[in-house]
Amino acid sequence: MDGVDKTTRADAGAARSAGRTRTRILAWDLTALVVIGVLLVGALWAASVVAYRGLYSPEAFVSRYLSLLSEGRAADALAVPGVAVDSTDLTAAGLPATASEALLRQAALAPLSDIEVESAVDEGDTVTVTVSYDAGPHRGTTSFTVERAGSIGLAPTWRFAASPLAVIDLSVRGSMQFSVNGFAIDKRQVLPEREDADPLADVPLLVFSPGLYSIAVDTAVSTSPGVAVLSDKPRAVIPVGLQTQPTPEFVAVVQDEVEKFLTECTTQQVLQPTGCPFGFMVQNRIVDAPTWSMTTQPTVALEPDGAGWKIPRTEATAHIRVDIRSIFDGSVREVDVDVPFFLTGAITMLPNGSASIQVSPAD
């Protein structure tokens, strides 16, 4: 009996030891599962945070818009929620209701680079996202206001609370044509009056913000140095004035036309050629019709004058030959003299691109 009791007690001890071992193993397994579960939850949370920041946050929304601009994808940028505007939106924002959309295209975009989100400030109903970027040689900073637009599943969607578009209010004197970032525009294409557009009328042009816009004139008639405009503030009106200068080729054309006009004047065999800037006065009678010629043609220069050009007061010299009979004694005197005179001129650019030149006496 003693042997049996000893064996029973040994078996019971072994069973208790095995039970404790299984309990410890189970505890370790449960602990490992809990740890793995915590790690998985943490990884999922971290992944969701990364996905939110990279895809669904206000910062990601604004960064996507700037990326489209940097890639020249104007149509896609314009389709971003809250970007496109109509005349009612423009009026409400204090912008010109007739602002043209001509520059909201790929051909008029300059690239952006080194785009960085500087901050995102939650203001309750809206979030203000500030970004910095390089636009050509300029480092710019722009702030955008965005708001919730809805959601896709659990992910939020966003829209611009106020359009990021701005307006360049452009005044170009001396030309109906100009270019923006190399994209050619005619005022008559973008102003509501079309062919009847006032050459001096300002041209309001919608532009993306941010954006760098280089405006220049380079035509056969006039030219101007380029002026760079950085549109870095949404809904801003940016006034830009451009005064062109006549090209040497255009000045040469005007010079030639003035010389032809004056030469034509010399064919009139009268003392005061009609419509011409020179003439000769006598107190006596002339024997025969006078003969005119040009001794010195004027050296034409052009100056800006509103939408056109003017010839400033310029000297020239004509020559007259005429015989004059005295009313007192009947004697005849030959007049063979130079006749200095001064002229001015007005040059008006016509809708078909030609120029109307009017020469007048200066005195």
Side-chain angles (χ1 to χ4, degrees):
M1 294 294 294
D2 290 340
V4 173
D5 291 339
K6 289 179 180 179
T7 300
T8 301
R9 286 195 296 271
D11 290 342
R16 287 193 297 271
S17 177
R20 287 193 296 271
T21 299
R22 285 194 297 272
T23 300
R24 284 195 297 271
I25 292 172
L26 180 59
W28 279 108
D29 289 345
L30 290 174
T31 300
L33 289 173
V34 170
V35 171
I36 291 171
V38 169
L39 290 175
L40 286 174
V41 170
L44 290 173
W45 174 256
S48 65
V49 169
V50 171
Y52 174 79
R53 290 178 177 174
L55 300 175
Y56 306 112
S57 67
E59 301 97 305
F61 172 76
V62 172
S63 296
R64 172 63 175 165
Y65 165 70
L66 266 69
S67 294
L68 293 174
L69 294 181
S70 69
E71 296 167 7
R73 296 167 61 182
D76 292 333
L78 196 59
V80 170
V83 175
V85 292
D86 57 24
S87 58
T88 302
D89 299 324
L90 292 171
T91 301
L95 302 175
T98 59
S100 169
E101 297 182 356
L103 297 183
L104 302 180
R105 64 182 68 208
Q106 180 179 4
L109 283 181
L112 303 172
S113 60
D114 197 17
I115 300 167
E116 295 182 4
V117 175
E118 299 291 337
S119 64
V121 180
D122 191 337
E123 298 178 352
D125 294 335
T126 61
V127 179
T128 300
V129 179
T130 300
V131 295
S132 61
Y133 47 84
D134 286 336
H138 307 282
R139 186 67 181 172
T141 302
T142 300
S143 294
F144 304 91
T145 303
V146 301
E147 62 186 4
R148 282 287 298 270
S151 61
I152 300 176
L154 298 177
T157 59
W158 301 90
R159 59 175 284 115
F160 287 106
S163 173
L165 299 181
V167 171
I168 292 178
D169 197 28
L170 179 62
S171 170
V172 178
R173 293 178 177 268
S175 178
M176 293 295 281
Q177 296 87 32
F178 58 92
S179 66
V180 181
N181 289 343
F183 178 68
I185 296 178
D186 189 299
K187 294 180 185 179
R188 291 161 292 195
Q189 295 173 330
V190 296
L191 288 174
E193 298 80 9
R194 298 299 180 181
E195 291 299 325
D196 296 326
D198 182 353
L200 293 179
D202 288 354
V203 183
L205 299 162
L206 282 167
V207 293
F208 289 106
S209 184
L212 182 65
Y213 296 89
S214 179
I215 307 169
V217 173
D218 186 13
T219 70
V221 171
S222 57
T223 184
S224 77
V227 56
V229 179
L230 178 61
S231 170
D232 60 356
K233 184 178 180 182
R235 303 176 307 287
V237 177
I238 309 167
V240 179
L242 211 59
Q243 175 61 68
T244 64
Q245 296 297 324
T247 62
E249 294 79 8
F250 182 52
V251 174
V253 169
V254 175
Q255 175 78 46
D256 185 58
E257 291 300 316
V258 169
E259 290 182 8
K260 289 179 181 178
F261 170 75
L262 294 176
T263 300
E264 183 67 23
C265 282
T266 64
T267 65
Q268 299 185 42
Q269 292 184 306
V270 295
L271 293 175
Q272 300 291 331
T274 303
C276 299
F278 57 81
F280 192 74
M281 298 290 294
V282 299
Q283 300 297 324
N284 298 289
R285 298 186 179 93
I286 61 174
V287 176
D288 297 310
T291 301
W292 287 98
S293 61
M294 288 299 300
T295 301
T296 306
Q297 292 281 6
T299 300
V300 170
L302 297 182
E303 295 179 353
D305 183 28
W309 312 93
K310 68 179 180 180
I311 302 171
R313 190 172 187 268
T314 304
E315 186 176 12
T317 304
H319 188 88
I320 188 171
R321 296 186 65 181
V322 64
D323 291 337
I324 301 174
R325 186 184 301 277
S326 171
I327 60 175
F328 296 104
D329 59 14
S331 61
V332 175
R333 176 173 63 92
E334 181 185 28
V335 174
D336 187 358
V337 295
D338 285 340
V339 181
F341 64 95
F342 290 89
L343 61 83
T344 61
I347 294 92
T348 303
M349 302 308 301
L350 303 178
N352 63 3
S354 63
S356 171
I357 305 171
Q358 183 178 3
V359 177
S360 307
D363 300 321

